[in-house]
Amino acid sequence: MSRRRRDPGRPWLVLAVLCSGFFLIILDTTMVNAAIPAMLRDLGAGLGQALWVVNSYILACAVFLITAGRLGDRFGPKRMYLTGLLIFTVASGLCGLSGSADELTALRAVQGLGAALLTPQTSAFIAVLFPPERRGTAFGVWSGVIGLSAVAGPLAGGALVAVAGWEWIFLVNVPVGLVALVLAAVVVPDHRPLIRHRWDLPGTLLATCGLATLSYGLLEYRRPATGDLAGSATLLSLGAGTALLLAFVIQQRTNHDEPLVPHVLYGQRDFVPAAAIGAGVYFAVTGTALPLLLYLQDVLGNTPLAAAQVTAPSAFTVGLVAVVVGRLSNGPRARPLLVTGLLVYAAGLALTAACARPGMNAWRLLPAMLVTDAGIGCTLAPAAKIALGGIAPAVTASASGVLNTARQVGGVLGSAVVGALLRARLATELRSRARAAAPELPPPLRTLFTDTVTHAPGDGITPPSTPTGVDPAQADHFHTLADAVFRHAFVHAWRTTLVLPIGVLLLCCLLSRRLSAGDATPSTPPRRGRHVRRPGRHAAGRPVNCPCSHP
């Protein structure tokens, strides 16, 4: 009898411990988003610098995820999980001590490296801890962690910013990370593949450099160019990144030894479209997160904690729906559940755009947010289950790395493209509305009013302040008019910007038609490389102290 049957509760205990570290890295992302407006004021940064604080983490995570998945296949997922959690914890402490936006951006990239090493190992363990008929439930729990962090992150971030300052959203990770590190070292089994994989150095270099260069170009493209040289460098980065990734694809398809992306993944009908759908979902999730918080705080005037209280009920919906849908996504129901989630998510964003008003009570937006987050929760587990359901355990870490890379690249694209569109639309709206409102002021103040509104601090995403030198008798009217112009301009720009992620989600619905109707049968990858059996560690092809299945 297998160890799994003798000890049926242990896989769930292992999953709980693994999810504690996964929860920590997702929690940090949501807490940072909640603290961005406070960082803007404290560090004197604009929207471009603030978004780099967010996106340097996403960028580093996206760049190293494929490599991290392959490292898990080579050295074992537990080792990579512990290494990633340790790097993340140390970097979090250093982030809390940083004194400038540039320093914080660099340290956030180190955090992203730690998250990249950890993330693919969590979903890879699901494939080896649970039989196929129970993986949907396990992926539901794994996806529910994302929803739980979406609830706890803004609340914890808002409370920490209000009570102790934004630095503590990083410092709090240190003790929590150390506890999670000890638990993982003690509880998680040291599962190691029976096959020692070779290392694809050319593929690693091409993937890493290509993703880094392309992502950098996308993130810089949304910022106003400071000159011809800056604009040329951005275009060169985009072109070079695209060329490197094309070279990576060619190198992987012609590498018949041990490619970074195993060839067995190309033969899985569902893997590529499911990964693309995951990228589309993360495009929408990441692209819409920061504008929503800016709307709640800078437009509606809520504190970070008050804004977090508004988002908490809908964010809780993500976790609840993800767990329930995860239990339902075992078998042929995964695809219809995924399509339903995509449509509900798109409808929720459309409802949010229709309901948003400049001076509304934030709680009136809650029904639209509940619909939106229910759609998100309905997509997470089915997408992961469909993508990894037919993957053999020997390459699950690599497959998980590719899947999470697609998601993170989708997040980078969402943040960059939606951010660029929001900035462009906001600049246009501010200019036109400022000119329309200027005649309400005396002629000497009209030009000053237009310049003040169109050159608002923080790249135009924070309310403008009344400049010095304005007649005190006109100062209140000047400020009220400028504030009204900003709020109306932001809401209108945000509404039109939401059309883009809605369109991406609808395209994902069309792409879902390529998915199979039922569960895929795990395929067995070609056994290349040296077979390594350690005396005393295995009996009948199974590690003595590990409940994991081996191919």
Side-chain angles (χ1 to χ4, degrees):
M1 182 178 291
S2 69
R3 181 177 177 85
R4 181 183 297 146
R5 297 194 179 191
R6 290 198 309 267
D7 189 8
R10 183 167 177 81
W12 293 106
L13 175 61
V14 174
L15 180 61
V17 172
L18 292 170
C19 284
S20 66
F22 184 56
F23 173 79
L24 185 63
I25 65 174
I26 303 297
L27 180 75
D28 183 79
T29 302
T30 55
M31 286 200 299
V32 169
N33 282 332
I36 284 295
M39 290 182 186
L40 284 173
R41 294 187 292 268
D42 195 14
L43 297 177
L47 178 61
Q49 289 175 297
L51 286 178
W52 263 111
V53 171
V54 175
N55 291 323
S56 61
Y57 177 89
I58 301 174
L59 174 59
C61 194
V63 165
F64 294 107
L65 270 170
I66 293 179
T67 302
R70 201 57 167 164
L71 286 171
D73 284 340
R74 181 177 175 86
F75 298 107
K78 179 177 180 177
R79 292 184 177 186
M80 291 300 102
Y81 179 92
L82 294 175
T83 302
L85 185 56
L86 178 61
I87 292 174
F88 179 87
T89 302
V90 173
S92 295
L94 296 176
C95 283
L97 302 176
S98 60
S100 68
D102 292 338
E103 184 180 353
L104 181 59
T105 298
L107 290 170
R108 285 282 288 163
V110 180
Q111 273 191 310
L113 171 61
L117 292 175
L118 181 152
T119 299
Q121 320 312 330
T122 57
S123 50
F125 260 112
I126 291 177
V128 295
L129 286 171
F130 297 92
E133 65 274 11
R134 295 170 61 192
R135 287 177 194 164
T137 304
F139 277 121
V141 173
W142 180 81
S143 302
V145 170
I146 300 176
L148 182 59
S149 67
V151 177
L155 286 173
L160 288 172
V161 170
V163 174
W166 61 264
E167 297 88 351
W168 280 91
I169 65 176
F170 300 111
L171 294 176
V172 74
N173 291 335
V174 177
V176 179
L178 291 176
V179 172
L181 194 68
V182 172
L183 287 175
V186 173
V187 174
V188 176
D190 191 12
H191 162 67
R192 301 182 193 178
L194 296 180
I195 302 174
R196 180 170 293 175
H197 296 279
R198 298 185 180 91
W199 189 249
D200 182 12
L201 182 59
T204 301
L205 292 176
L206 286 172
T208 302
C209 296
L211 286 171
T213 307
L214 180 64
S215 300
Y216 176 83
L218 289 170
L219 291 171
E220 282 297 301
Y221 189 73
R222 57 173 166 73
R223 303 180 66 180
T226 56
D228 293 338
L229 182 61
S232 299
T234 300
L235 293 176
L236 179 63
S237 178
L238 290 171
T242 303
L244 286 170
L245 290 180
L246 287 175
F248 170 71
V249 172
I250 295 172
Q251 187 267 344
Q252 290 295 287
R253 298 305 294 263
T254 57
N255 182 357
H256 299 292
D257 189 11
E258 285 269 356
L260 188 63
V261 179
H263 286 171
V264 68
L265 299 183
Y266 303 127
Q268 296 298 313
R269 173 183 173 182
D270 292 340
F271 182 80
V272 173
I277 291 172
V281 171
Y282 271 63
F283 179 100
V285 170
T286 307
T288 58
L290 184 56
L292 173 62
L293 289 171
L294 292 173
Y295 169 74
L296 292 175
Q297 295 187 33
D298 288 341
V299 176
L300 299 186
N302 293 288
T303 65
L305 182 57
Q309 291 172 341
V310 173
T311 59
S314 61
F316 177 76
T317 305
V318 177
L320 179 62
V321 173
V323 173
V324 174
V325 171
R327 293 181 62 88
L328 297 175
S329 62
N330 294 310
R333 290 173 293 189
R335 186 178 69 173
L337 286 171
L338 175 59
V339 174
T340 300
L342 292 170
L343 292 175
V344 171
Y345 188 10
L349 290 179
L351 187 61
T352 300
C355 293
R357 298 287 186 275
M360 68 183 296
N361 186 314
W363 287 99
R364 294 177 59 188
L365 199 64
L366 181 60
M369 294 165 59
L370 287 172
V371 175
T372 300
D373 288 343
I376 297 174
C378 198
T379 63
L380 297 176
K385 173 64 169 60
I386 291 171
L388 299 178
I391 303 300
V395 291
T396 49
S398 293
S400 179
V402 175
L403 178 62
N404 283 286
T405 297
R407 291 172 171 174
Q408 295 298 330
V409 170
V412 172
L413 285 169
S415 179
V417 177
V418 175
L421 181 58
L422 177 63
R423 286 180 53 148
R425 293 297 306 144
L426 183 57
T428 301
E429 290 291 329
L430 285 172
R431 190 180 304 110
S432 62
R433 291 176 183 271
R435 290 173 179 172
E440 298 184 26
L441 295 170
L445 293 179
R446 293 175 183 175
T447 302
L448 178 62
F449 175 82
T450 303
D451 292 341
T452 300
V453 172
T454 55
H455 297 89
D459 296 332
I461 51 86
T462 54
S465 57
T466 304
T468 58
V470 176
D471 186 348
Q474 297 290 335
D476 288 342
H477 185 40
F478 189 102
H479 174 74
T480 301
L481 190 61
D483 190 62
V485 167
F486 166 78
R487 295 177 191 277
H488 282 83
F490 187 97
V491 170
H492 195 272
W494 184 38
R495 283 176 179 170
T496 54
T497 300
L498 285 175
V499 173
L500 178 60
I502 290 172
V504 170
L505 292 172
L506 295 179
L507 287 176
C508 290
C509 287
L510 295 177
L511 184 60
S512 67
R513 299 178 64 182
R514 298 186 57 187
L515 299 174
S516 61
D519 285 343
T521 301
S523 59
T524 303
R527 291 179 175 261
R528 298 188 179 95
R530 291 182 295 163
H531 291 246
V532 179
R533 291 188 180 271
R534 296 173 178 84
R537 288 184 50 86
H538 293 79
R542 182 181 300 275
V544 174
N545 296 318
C546 177
C548 311
S549 301
H550 292 263

